[in-house]
Every structure is written in C-alpha cells, then in structure tokens.
Amino acid sequence: MERRHGLILALDVESGERALEVCAQVAEHVDAVKVGYPLVLSSGISLIRRLAEQLPVIADFKVADVPHVCAAIARIARDAGASYIIAHGFTGYESVRACAEVLPVFVVADMSHAGAEEFITPVSDSIARRCLSIATGIVAPATRLESLRRLRGIAGEKVIISPGVGAQGAEPGSAIRAGADYEIVGRAIYCAAEPGEAAARIAELTAAALAERGREA
Amino acid sequence: MERRHGLILALDVESGERALEVCAQVAEHVDAVKVGYPLVLSSGISLIRRLAEQLPVIADFKVADVPHVCAAIARIARDAGASYIIAHGFTGYESVRACAEVLPVFVVADMSHAGAEEFITPVSDSIARRCLSIATGIVAPATRLESLRRLRGIAGEKVIISPGVGAQGAEPGSAIRAGADYEIVGRAIYCAAEPGEAAARIAELTAAALAERGREA
C-alpha cells in the first residue's frame, strides 16, 4: 500500500452494507482498510473483494494455527482479494512463514489489551526478531508507546502498523511519532456522524506526524 | 457432548458438501465434529448449523484477539449452531473469558507442530492454570504424551481433547491412555475410502482405551 496518510481504517462494523458505505466515504483519506473475523464471518468472505475495489484490504485474521492450516487460511484471504494478512508470531516461525508464502504478513508483536501482558508482552521482542525476516512488518499497539519505540528499533526498515488510536485512547499522530508507519483507527471514524470528515481530520494529524518525522530523519 | 466413543472428527475437508457427506457417514461412531476456518470461510458460517443437525460442533477458531473481538467471534459461532469454541490462552485470561461467557471453551494449552516449542510449550502449564477455571477443558496434542500427562495432572476434572492422532503419528488410544478424554482424528477418517468404516475401527480403539482407564480408576 502506498503511504499517503499513514492511516488505516479498522472496519469493525456490523454489516457488509455498512462496511461498503463507510469504505466509500473514507477512501480518499486512508491508505487501507483492515477487516476482522466478526465482519467476514457474518457477511461472507466475498465482502473482501468488494472492499478491495476501493482500497487495499488487510485481513486481520490473527492467524494462530499449525502451518498447513495457516497456509489454507492465507490462500482463502488472497483468493478473496486481500493484499495483506495479520498473523500471530507466538505459534512460531513456520506458521508465519506458511502465511508469508501466500500473502505479505504483518506479525502481531504485542497487543493493546491488558491480557497481553500475561504471555505476549514478555516475549514481544523475541517474536519480532524471530519472524521479521519473512514479514512485511509488525503490529504494535499505540497504547504502549515504550514497547512501540523498542520494537521500532528491532524492526529496522520493516513496516509497523499500530492499533489503539482514537477510541482506545492514543492520540492520532502519537504512534507515528514513536516509530509507527501507519496508525489504525476504527470507532473514531466509523462511529462518527460523518466518517469521511472524521477520517480527513485524523489523516491530517497522522500525515503531519509523518512529515515531522521525515524532517527529523 | 456425551462421551460414548472418546472420538472427535476433525472435519478439515475442502467443501461444505463433502463435510456434510462425511459427517453423515461417521455420525454414529464419533462424539462431535471439529471445524476450522478454512472450511467455514470457504463454505460460509451457515454450514455449522447443518453439521450441528447431525453432531455437536466444536468451532476450532483458535480465537486469539482482544476481548471484545473474541466475544463477537464467539457470538457468531454460537448463533450459527456451534456447541463449543476453541480459543488460545496465550492472549490472556480476559480474552478466554470473553469467549467463555458466550460458549463453552476449550483452551489451547499446547500444539502439535514443531513451532509450538518456540513460545507456547514453555508456558503451557501457566496457560492451563491461568484459564482452566473458566474453561470446559483444554486442547493438548497426542504427539507430546509427556506434556499431555503433565497437563492431565493440572486439568483435574476438566476435559482434555487431543489432536495429532492418526495421520500426524499418534496411535489411536494412546492419548486417552495418557489422560485425554477425547482423541481428535482427521485425515485417517475423512481420507479413508470408507470414512464410516475407518471411524468405526478407530472408535473401537478409543473406546477400549477409555474402558481400560475406567477399570484402572
């Protein structure tokens, strides 16, 4: 995906119809849309193709299975029109590789919820180091800027996409200033009265943070 | 599910039509069927309802997300007719609880592939201990009998379901003798020329192992 705004829409809406509507409203202000299992299971996998006509689609399937099942899931996502897939790294290198042989992968290195601290955060750096060579990038939450800065150091030239911006608490632009390449925003856009305007407003902030980082570099 | 045979069919076939056909052939020899994302994504979530008319369905979605997404996935599985859901414990207690509030959960404590040794196996016991109180049981592979025996000790009266039997190498009955309550068999049944006969043959072995354990207890 071309980084114009540094902004990805998490399209966690209830219906396929609403997803297409919001996608059309925000298309010029975001670089990609991220869709998860709740929407895909309830609307059917064919929704991805229709969204992909407007924007690159990241299949946020947090794949966490044995390698041959990972590969099967990635093939279905690719054949449906997704451009990227999100996979967990805690199931090991071979599981991530099975996805990466089919579609570019973002590996979950850390997560935004409190429960991530039990088992994932302690091995975040190891997961990133183990899987980065075969990944397009990693997922690291904007709600943990310390972790994000550390992972930026590990990730080198790889892409970091960062959820947790907006309704989950992080300010737009904050993750990019800490080293993310894209911020992922959901409710602050799709729950807004005017999703297009909300996306435009947030995209200004993420693009400004990108420009700021560019000047510093 | 009523434990008559100690046998669950992993229905990892390619099409919904084939899934229904195999399910009908084996229904009297297995206690439940387990379906995963590849089949559900390609056939549509409504397949679960049709399978559930024949046997209890375990949705093997290896849920590994933030709590509110876990809950959304579990609701879709329940509304589609699934009786159980499989979730990772790696994402923490709250994520498992979000599923458990909707459907009975089996928590993945260990996995059968080599990559599990990187991050999961080192914390298998901790995952089981952390999540067991809210789970119906755990998933522990028949390909690692030492781990299975240890997890049996931790699991107490909770149910253990055990994949890896048949094509993946473990002998039918071996996991039950090591402490599992159900063995999960896929290819050795659905790839057989006569799936019904294969299931009957394997069910004899798992039922015999259950009876043997019953006499010892």
Side-chain angles (χ1 to χ4, degrees), chain B:
Chain B
M1 55 196 165
E2 195 194 340
R3 192 174 69 181
R4 296 186 302 151
H5 312 285
L7 182 58
I8 294 166
L9 171 65
L11 203 43
D12 297 330
V13 297
E14 295 284 315
S15 77
E17 200 177 330
R18 179 71 185 141
L20 289 163
E21 187 180 76
V22 173
C23 191
Q25 289 167 346
V26 308
E28 63 182 299
H29 308 296
V30 309
D31 298 317
V33 290
K34 179 175 85 67
V35 296
Y37 274 132
L39 180 61
V40 168
L41 287 173
S42 57
S43 304
I45 190 83
S46 63
L47 177 69
I48 291 180
R49 172 84 49 207
R50 298 182 64 194
L51 293 168
E53 288 166 4
Q54 302 188 54
L55 284 165
V57 174
I58 302 170
D60 183 5
F61 290 172
K62 294 192 180 70
V63 185
D65 217 311
V66 297
H68 77 274
V69 176
C70 294
I73 293 171
R75 280 193 297 268
I76 291 170
R78 177 198 62 195
D79 294 349
S83 296
Y84 303 89
I85 192 162
I86 293 178
H88 272 291
F90 206 92
T91 37
Y93 177 86
E94 293 299 338
S95 293
V96 174
R97 193 175 68 166
C99 291
E101 286 173 351
V102 178
L103 267 181
V105 172
F106 290 106
V107 177
V108 177
D110 201 357
M111 293 178 78
S112 60
H113 65 300
E117 287 168 22
E118 295 172 25
F119 300 107
I120 296 185
T121 305
V123 292
S124 280
D125 296 6
S126 303
I127 289 174
R129 286 202 182 89
R130 179 78 177 118
C131 302
L132 259 172
S133 66
I134 46 165
T136 294
I138 59 178
V139 185
T143 47
R144 296 199 173 132
L145 293 182
E146 273 315 305
S147 169
L148 180 51
R149 286 191 195 96
R150 214 179 52 243
L151 288 166
R152 176 75 276 166
I154 293 169
E157 297 298 302
K158 300 278 182 171
V159 176
I160 296 182
I161 64 176
S162 192
V165 177
Q168 282 184 65
E171 288 293 321
S174 62
I176 287 175
R177 278 191 291 268
D181 297 288
Y182 296 87
E183 296 185 2
I184 304 170
V185 178
R187 284 168 281 180
I189 293 175
Y190 67 72
C191 290
E194 300 286 348
E197 286 175 23
R201 214 164 41 238
I202 293 168
E204 256 183 54
L205 298 169
T206 53
L210 277 178
E212 196 179 303
R213 224 178 58 186
R215 280 194 301 275
E216 284 166 10

Side-chain angles (χ1 to χ4, degrees), chain A residues 61-138:
Chain A
F61 290 174
K62 294 194 181 68
V63 186
D65 217 310
V66 297
H68 77 273
V69 176
C70 293
I73 292 171
R75 280 193 298 269
I76 291 170
R78 178 198 61 195
D79 294 350
S83 297
Y84 303 90
I85 192 162
I86 293 178
H88 272 291
F90 72 74
T91 37
Y93 177 86
E94 293 299 337
S95 293
V96 174
R97 193 175 70 165
C99 291
E101 286 173 352
V102 179
L103 267 182
V105 172
F106 290 106
V107 178
V108 178
D110 201 356
M111 294 178 77
S112 60
H113 66 300
E117 287 169 23
E118 295 173 25
F119 300 108
I120 294 184
T121 306
V123 292
S124 280
D125 296 6
S126 304
I127 288 174
R129 287 203 181 89
R130 179 80 177 118
C131 301
L132 259 172
S133 66
I134 47 165
T136 294
I138 59 176

Side-chain angles (χ1 to χ4, degrees), chain A residues 17-82:
Chain A
E17 199 178 329
R18 179 72 185 141
L20 290 162
E21 188 180 74
V22 172
C23 191
Q25 289 167 346
V26 307
E28 62 182 301
H29 308 296
V30 309
D31 297 317
V33 290
K34 179 175 85 67
V35 296
Y37 274 133
L39 180 61
V40 169
L41 288 173
S42 57
S43 304
I45 189 86
S46 63
L47 176 68
I48 291 181
R49 173 83 50 206
R50 298 182 65 195
L51 292 169
E53 288 165 6
Q54 302 189 54
L55 283 165
V57 173
I58 302 170
D60 182 6
F61 290 174
K62 294 194 181 68
V63 186
D65 217 310
V66 297
H68 77 273
V69 176
C70 293
I73 292 171
R75 280 193 298 269
I76 291 170
R78 178 198 61 195
D79 294 350

